[in-house]
Amino acid sequence: MPAVQHMKWYGWGVEGVSFHHEDKPALRPFVQEIIDLDLATPPKPRTQLSDLDIPAPRISPELHAALVAVVGVDNAVDEDEDRIVHTYGKSIRDLMRLRGNDLPRVPDVVVYPADEDEVQQVVDAAIAADAVLIPFGGGSNIAGSLQAPEDETRPVISLDLGRLTKLLDVDEEAGLARIQAGALGPDLEAQLNARGWTLGHFPDSFTHSTLGGWVATRSSGMQSDKYGDIADITRGLRMVMPGRVLVLRGLPSTSTGPSVREMVLGSEGRLGVITEVTVQVHRIPEERVILGYLFPSFEAGVAAMQEISTSDASPSVTRVSDAGETRFSFSTRKKSKGVSVSGLVSKGLFKVLERRGWDLDAVCLSFVGYEGGPDHVRRQKAIVKKIIGQHGGILLGKGPGELYDQKKFDTPYIRDFLLDRGAAADVSETAAPWSQLVPMYENVTAAARKAFAQIGVQGWVMCHLSHSYHSGACLYFTFAFRHDDQEPLARYDVVKSAIQQAFIDTHGTLSHHHGVGTEHAPWLEQDISPAGVQIMEGLFAGVDPGRNLNPGKIT
Ligand code: FAD
C-alpha cells in the first residue's frame, strides 16, 4: 500500500488524537444545560472494522489487471480498510452509516496513480470497462460527495490523488504557483512557505483536505476576506477527462466565456480528475494578528461587519458569533471560570460592561484578522476600531484571537466525542445579501427549534457570521441534540432539512462552501432554478454520457 496519509475510518483526524473535556471545566455543565448530555457518560463501545460486513470486491479480473498494469500491484489496493476509508466522506450521515454498518456500495478497488499520465490511463480503462470512477482527495467533504450510488451494479474505482503532492513551479513575478491536486493543506503550505509564499487558504479541515478537493467543492478558508475563496484563488488547472486533458493556463483574467474554469470549480468529480491547479499565491505577511472584540448583540456585530466590508479596511478575517456560540466558545476555555462573559474578561472590563448595561449572557464574541506590513496592520486596526466602537463594540485584545487561531483545527474532534455518547452535532452554512442576514438568522434558528420540538429533543443551535463580501456574508449554523440511538438519521434529517429550507426561503444559497453532493442536491432547483439545473445536466451528459464519473452527485 502506498504511503498516503488517511484519516481514521470511523471519524475525524488521525489515530491517537481525540477530544477531551477534562481540561475545560465549564464545558460539562454547559453541554448538560443545552442538550441534557453528561460529558462524563462513558463512550459507547465503538464499532470495530472487524464488525463490519464489507462486501467482497466486484471487479472483473480483466479490469483489475488493466489497473495493475497502469499503477503497479502495490498501488491498486483492495484491502478492507482502504476500501472502507474511501467509501464515504466525513459528514455526520457518513459517520453514522459507517459506524452503523450501513455499507450498500463500497469501492471495489482503490488506485493511487503516480502522475497525470497514469490518471489518464486509469480514467480510460474505467470508461472502456463501463466502470464508475470516483476521485478522492482527503475524504473530508460533508456533502455526501464520495459514496457510490447504493444500487450501482458496475465496478467502482476510487482514484486517490495522494501521490500527486508536489509544488511544481512558481512564477515569481506573477505569484502564480502550479501545484499537484493531491497535496494536503499543511504539505502544500510548507512547500510554498519554504519559498516565501503562502496560499492563504485555511479551511477548518485544512489538515486533512487537498487542493483538488477544495477546487472540486468550491471551498472557502477562514482568511477568505483577504485571499478570496478557492474560486478566486484558482487561476488555471489541468483536468483529465475521458480520452483527453483539459488545459486552462494560469491567467489573471479572461473574457473567454462561458467560463470553463468556473464549470470545473465545484464539479465534484463529475467532469474528470483535476491533476494540477495554478493558484494565486502571496508573499508571507510580515505581521498576522487576530483581535477579539465584544458586541452587545448579534445584530450590532452584523451591522459592524457590513460597515467594515464597505470601508477602506481590508481585514483577512471578519467573524462574529451569536450569544449561543459565544457561550460555547467561553465554555471550551481551559480553566474558565464560567460560561458567562465573566469567565473570559478581566474584572476591570467586566465592570465596564456592567456599567454599560450589557446583558452579559447576550454578549457576542467577534474576531477580526489583520495581515500585512506593520503600517498596513496599524491603519486597518484603527479603521476597524472606530467602526466597531460606533456599533457599541469594544476591543478585547489579542488573547482570544490567539486562542481561536490555535484551537481552530482541533474543534472537529468534538463531533466524534459527542457521537460516541449518543449525540449528533453538525453544521449548515449559507450566504445571503447583508439585507437578509438578520431576518435569515431569526428564521433559521426558529426553524431549527421547531424541528427539535417536532422530533421531541432538547436541541441547540448557534451561529456565526464569517466570510464577508461587498454584498453579503456567510452565516454558519451549528446544531446538536441527544438522540440516544433512537432513529438518529431520521431525526437528523428533520432538523437539517428545516435549516436548509429556511436558507432558501430567506434568499440564501444551499451552501456557501461545502458544495452540493447528495446532501444538498434536494435544494438545487430552488437555488438555481429549473433552467440552471438543465444547463448543468447538459454539461454532465455532454462530458460523461455513460455516467461513469462520480454519478449521482449534484444533479
Ligand atoms: P474529498 O472529500 O476527497 O472529495 C470531495 C469531492 O471532490 C468529491 O466529489 C470528490 O470526488 C471530488 N474530488 C476530490 N479531489 C478531486 C480531484 N483531484 N479532481 C476531481 N474531483 C475531486 N470546507 C470548506 O470549504 N471550509 C471549511 O472551513 C471546512 N471545514 C470543515 C471542517 C470539518 C470538520 C469537515 C469535516 C469538513 C470541512 N469542510 C470545509 C469540508 C471539506 O473539507 C471540503 O469540502 C474540502 O474541500 C474537501 O476536500 P477533500 O480533499 O477532502 O475532498
Side-chain angles (χ1 to χ4, degrees):
M1 201 182 298
V4 171
Q5 179 199 319
H6 292 125
M7 286 191 266
K8 302 164 185 166
W9 68 266
Y10 55 87
W12 183 254
V14 286
E15 284 299 347
V17 184
S18 54
F19 177 80
H20 299 282
H21 72 94
E22 289 80 3
D23 55 349
K24 305 169 192 71
L27 188 61
R28 187 174 161 196
F30 179 68
V31 174
Q32 183 86 58
E33 178 199 325
I34 63 168
I35 57 168
D36 193 23
L37 176 77
D38 185 352
L39 292 184
T41 310
K44 291 178 295 170
R46 191 181 289 139
T47 314
Q48 301 298 306
L49 192 68
S50 54
D51 299 330
L52 300 181
D53 300 314
I54 304 171
R58 294 190 232 159
I59 182 168
S60 69
E62 293 77 21
L63 177 56
H64 194 266
L67 296 172
V68 168
V70 176
V71 295
V73 69
D74 291 341
N75 297 308
V77 182
D78 57 8
E79 285 164 25
D80 282 353
E81 183 161 356
D82 222 20
R83 291 173 58 222
I84 287 298
V85 163
H86 290 81
T87 300
Y88 292 116
K90 295 296 179 197
S91 71
I92 195 87
R93 183 187 309 281
D94 293 337
L95 299 183
M96 284 188 189
R97 291 187 77 178
L98 267 175
R99 292 165 178 223
N101 198 12
D102 184 3
L103 300 167
R105 197 66 184 95
V106 175
D108 300 303
V109 63
V110 182
V111 294
Y112 296 86
D115 54 30
E116 186 179 275
D117 185 45
E118 289 191 6
V119 172
Q120 183 76 69
Q121 292 183 58
V122 170
V123 168
D124 292 347
I127 302 290
D130 193 19
V132 162
L133 183 127
I134 305 178
F136 186 99
S140 72
N141 79 84
I142 53 171
S145 308
L146 278 173
Q147 78 271 14
E150 290 189 13
D151 55 357
E152 184 59 67
T153 53
R154 299 174 291 176
V156 176
I157 303 166
S158 177
L159 188 157
D160 190 312
L161 277 293
R163 292 172 72 203
L164 278 77
T165 61
K166 286 195 200 70
L167 167 60
L168 299 171
D169 169 53
V170 183
D171 175 340
E172 302 269 337
E173 278 179 67
L176 289 174
R178 285 172 48 228
I179 307 175
Q180 288 186 307
L184 289 163
D187 184 15
L188 170 163
E189 197 58 21
Q191 294 185 64
L192 283 171
N193 288 177
R195 295 171 67 161
W197 298 95
T198 179
L199 185 63
H201 186 74
F202 298 102
D204 291 355
S205 56
F206 175 73
T207 32
H208 300 292
S209 54
T210 62
L211 176 58
W214 297 338
V215 173
T217 58
R218 291 191 76 106
S219 162
S220 183
M222 63 191 83
Q223 272 102 296
S224 69
D225 289 30
K226 173 177 166 69
Y227 297 98
D229 300 324
I230 202 70
D232 309 302
I233 294 169
T234 301
R235 303 311 330 150
L237 53 85
R238 292 176 68 92
M239 182 174 74
V240 169
M241 300 166 66
R244 61 208 154 141
V245 181
L246 168 72
V247 182
L248 299 175
R249 294 159 301 148
L251 292 171
S253 188
T254 171
S255 65
T256 308
S259 166
V260 176
R261 186 182 125 274
E262 281 277 343
M263 291 176 200
V264 176
L265 281 156
S267 56
E268 299 187 20
R270 297 251 357 228
L271 298 176
V273 183
I274 302 158
T275 51
E276 183 186 311
V277 187
T278 303
V279 286
Q280 184 72 61
V281 292
H282 300 260
R283 286 290 175 200
I284 296 171
E286 280 178 71
E287 270 189 35
R288 184 165 174 267
V289 58
I290 299 182
L291 293 184
Y293 302 86
L294 289 179
F295 286 99
S297 68
F298 190 55
E299 289 76 4
V302 172
M305 297 304 127
Q306 175 183 6
E307 201 171 326
I308 292 168
S309 78
T310 52
S311 73
D312 285 345
S314 50
S316 55
V317 178
T318 46
R319 178 178 168 123
V320 57
S321 296
D322 71 355
E325 196 177 90
T326 301
R327 292 186 64 211
F328 169 72
S329 294
F330 292 174
S331 76
T332 59
R333 278 169 55 85
K334 293 183 181 169
K335 298 194 208 111
S336 170
K337 294 186 203 109
V339 294
S340 75
V341 73
S342 54
L344 182 76
V345 300
S346 66
K347 274 192 186 140
L349 183 53
F350 180 64
K351 288 219 167 87
V352 173
L353 299 183
E354 269 194 322
R355 261 205 309 279
R356 286 186 173 210
W358 286 22
D359 172 358
L360 296 182
D361 281 331
V363 162
C364 292
L365 181 61
S366 168
F367 296 116
V368 180
Y370 309 89
E371 294 186 21
D375 287 346
H376 177 78
V377 167
R378 202 175 312 116
R379 189 170 133 69
Q380 307 299 305
K381 285 200 285 201
I383 298 171
V384 168
K385 187 177 172 197
K386 193 167 166 209
I387 295 172
I388 286 186
Q390 282 163 352
H391 290 275
I394 55 164
L395 175 66
L396 266 184
K398 270 191 193 170
E402 276 167 7
L403 201 70
Y404 159 75
D405 214 21
Q406 282 158 21
K407 69 178 188 187
K408 64 196 174 207
F409 298 138
D410 298 335
T411 311
Y413 287 94
I414 299 180
R415 212 172 43 142
D416 291 342
F417 181 92
L418 293 174
L419 207 52
D420 289 344
R421 287 156 183 83
D426 197 26
V427 299
S428 260
E429 38 68 62
T430 184
W434 288 110
S435 52
Q436 306 293 326
L437 289 181
V438 171
M440 165 181 281
Y441 170 71
E442 281 158 8
N443 205 21
V444 172
T445 44
R449 288 190 185 118
K450 196 168 157 202
F452 293 142
Q454 194 182 330
I455 60 171
V457 296
Q458 179 188 339
W460 174 254
V461 59
M462 61 189 186
C463 173
H464 66 254
L465 175 152
S466 53
H467 310 282
S468 293
Y469 305 86
H470 284 289
S471 55
C474 163
L475 284 189
Y476 187 105
F477 293 84
T478 303
F479 58 95
F481 63 91
R482 212 182 84 191
H483 56 70
D484 297 327
D485 293 329
Q486 304 298 309
E487 301 186 309
L489 267 179
R491 293 158 105 196
Y492 164 80
D493 278 337
V494 172
V495 183
K496 172 82 179 170
S497 298
I499 291 175
Q500 287 294 133
Q501 191 58 47
F503 289 165
I504 297 286
D505 293 344
T506 332
H507 203 112
T509 179
L510 54 77
S511 165
H512 168 259
H513 57 256
H514 288 149
V516 185
T518 48
E519 198 67 51
H520 299 141
W523 290 275
L524 184 66
E525 196 171 285
Q526 295 179 74
D527 195 18
I528 60 169
S529 85
V533 176
Q534 195 189 0
I535 291 173
M536 276 198 188
E537 283 173 343
L539 173 66
F540 295 145
V543 171
D544 179 33
R547 291 178 66 81
N548 300 98
L549 302 175
N550 204 8
K553 313 303 162 350
I554 307 174
T555 58

